[in-house]
Amino acid sequence: MRRVSILHRVEKALREAGVGPGQRLLAAVSGGVDSMVLLDAVACLRERLGVRLHVAHVHHGLRGRAADGDAALVVAEAARLGLGVSIVRLHPGGRGPGESVQVWARAARYRHLDAIAERVGASHIAVAHTQDDQAETVLLNLLRGTGPQGLAGITPPRRRILRPLLQVPRAEVEAYAASRQVAFRLDASNTSDAYRRNRVRHHLLPLLAKEYNPRIVESLASLAGLMREDDSALAEAADRFLGESARTMDGAVILEVAALAAAPPAVARRAVHAAFRQASQMAHSLTRRH
């Protein structure tokens, strides 16, 4: 049943995202259990969906021979499935001063996945975040201090990024791997409590499940979905506000104080954030401290 359930959910997620006949889908595969299950699932579905499949693996250059083993497994599995594969190796020494390894690795990974997708002509990139990843992200954002956008967690589509396993619990992914005898690699860094996400995964979430809510992962993922809907509606209202009230002059974005004061605070706040991004040409926005 679990295998059917995962295949059904993956197929539904891909179809809803517009993945269909004649398109090329890029599967981002790290070698861990989540991404290897995703690869197995999309390989099973490729004929039904009518898509061509290509595999991408980003070697972060951080774990020596262990990471080499990850890459080797991905290459071998792609060959077994008759799929093309692209391997990119990163160089951690190139990250900016003061930039954390995790932030650098994430940005570099998506940048290279986008480049591979362009090169092979892929319309979408499938990555393997699960429902547990969603719950962890919501908790991490909550602990850090956040608003609706942070509580929305990992967004399902981001440009051409798709997350077909985002509604699938990790336990179900692991059960699928066992039933299908999917080969995968274990990343030792995922067991280290040096990383806050790992502490949330190994200690906080199990505590919340045991003492407060056995379905805490599902509850947090549901909260993220509701907050995405609310945040999307507020973002649309802010866009309308900017279209009606903002004007530009010599690269500056001008907002009338009276119009801001009359708008609902949630809309005005988003409008100011959007105006800042437009005027500064920066991807990030203002924080509560600003």
Side-chain angles (χ1 to χ4, degrees), residues 129-191:
H129 293 114
T130 67
Q131 190 178 73
D132 291 65
D133 293 314
Q134 180 69 291
E136 292 161 11
T137 299
V138 171
L139 268 183
L140 284 165
N141 290 342
L142 182 62
L143 293 170
R144 212 168 13 235
T146 191
Q149 284 184 314
L151 293 178
I154 304 169
T155 55
R158 185 185 69 88
R159 292 175 298 175
R160 57 180 155 196
I161 300 291
L162 305 179
R163 297 181 170 88
L165 297 178
L166 199 57
Q167 300 302 318
V168 181
R170 186 170 291 124
E172 192 171 326
V173 169
E174 292 170 350
Y176 178 103
S179 68
R180 289 274 296 167
Q181 296 185 314
V182 175
F184 61 89
R185 300 266 299 175
L186 294 173
D187 183 346
S189 68
N190 288 335
T191 65

Side-chain angles (χ1 to χ4, degrees), residues 66-82:
D68 293 340
D70 297 346
L73 173 64
V74 173
V75 170
E77 189 63 12
R80 185 185 72 81
L81 294 168

Side-chain angles (χ1 to χ4, degrees), residues 90-105:
L90 307 182
H91 302 283
R95 71 180 190 272
E99 185 179 21
S100 77
V101 171
Q102 287 181 310
V103 170
W104 163 81

Side-chain angles (χ1 to χ4, degrees), residues 190-193 197-207:
N190 288 335
T191 65
S192 170
D193 282 349
R197 180 177 288 272
N198 288 350
R199 296 196 296 274
V200 166
R201 177 178 300 172
H202 300 310
H203 304 295
L204 182 55
L205 270 174
L207 173 66

Side-chain angles (χ1 to χ4, degrees), residues 26-248:
L26 183 68
V29 183
S30 68
V33 63
D34 298 341
S35 66
M36 294 301 287
V37 163
L38 175 64
L39 175 59
D40 186 84
V42 294
C44 288
L45 293 167
R46 56 182 159 169
E47 289 187 9
R48 190 186 308 176
L49 291 168
V51 299
R52 294 168 294 160
L53 193 58
H54 189 86
V55 178
H57 174 80
V58 179
H59 186 314
H60 294 93
L62 296 169
R63 295 168 37 247
R65 291 183 178 178
D68 293 340
D70 297 346
L73 173 64
V74 173
V75 170
E77 189 63 12
R80 185 185 72 81
L81 294 168
L83 301 173
V85 59
S86 298
I87 307 291
V88 174
R89 179 158 188 148
L90 307 182
H91 302 283
R95 71 180 190 272
E99 185 179 21
S100 77
V101 171
Q102 287 181 310
V103 170
W104 163 81
R106 182 181 185 279
R109 179 168 62 252
Y110 281 111
R111 186 171 64 251
H112 283 283
L113 288 175
D114 275 333
I116 294 170
E118 287 290 338
R119 180 170 56 79
V120 302
S123 59
H124 297 86
I125 303 168
V127 297
H129 293 114
T130 67
Q131 190 178 73
D132 291 65
D133 293 314
Q134 180 69 291
E136 292 161 11
T137 299
V138 171
L139 268 183
L140 284 165
N141 290 342
L142 182 62
L143 293 170
R144 212 168 13 235
T146 191
Q149 284 184 314
L151 293 178
I154 304 169
T155 55
R158 185 185 69 88
R159 292 175 298 175
R160 57 180 155 196
I161 300 291
L162 305 179
R163 297 181 170 88
L165 297 178
L166 199 57
Q167 300 302 318
V168 181
R170 186 170 291 124
E172 192 171 326
V173 169
E174 292 170 350
Y176 178 103
S179 68
R180 289 274 296 167
Q181 296 185 314
V182 175
F184 61 89
R185 300 266 299 175
L186 294 173
D187 183 346
S189 68
N190 288 335
T191 65
S192 170
D193 282 349
Y195 300 106
R196 182 176 293 185
R197 180 177 288 272
N198 288 350
R199 296 196 296 274
V200 166
R201 177 178 300 172
H202 300 310
H203 304 295
L204 182 55
L205 270 174
L207 173 66
L208 293 173
K210 179 181 178 182
E211 299 291 343
Y212 299 98
N213 180 0
R215 300 177 67 180
I216 186 64
V217 168
E218 182 182 342
S219 296
L220 289 169
S222 295
L223 171 64
L226 292 172
M227 295 310 300
R228 274 197 306 276
E229 292 174 359
D230 289 358
D231 190 60
S232 176
L234 288 168
E236 289 179 9
D239 286 343
R240 287 195 300 272
F241 174 86
L242 284 173
E244 296 167 358
S245 306
R247 55 193 175 90
T248 59

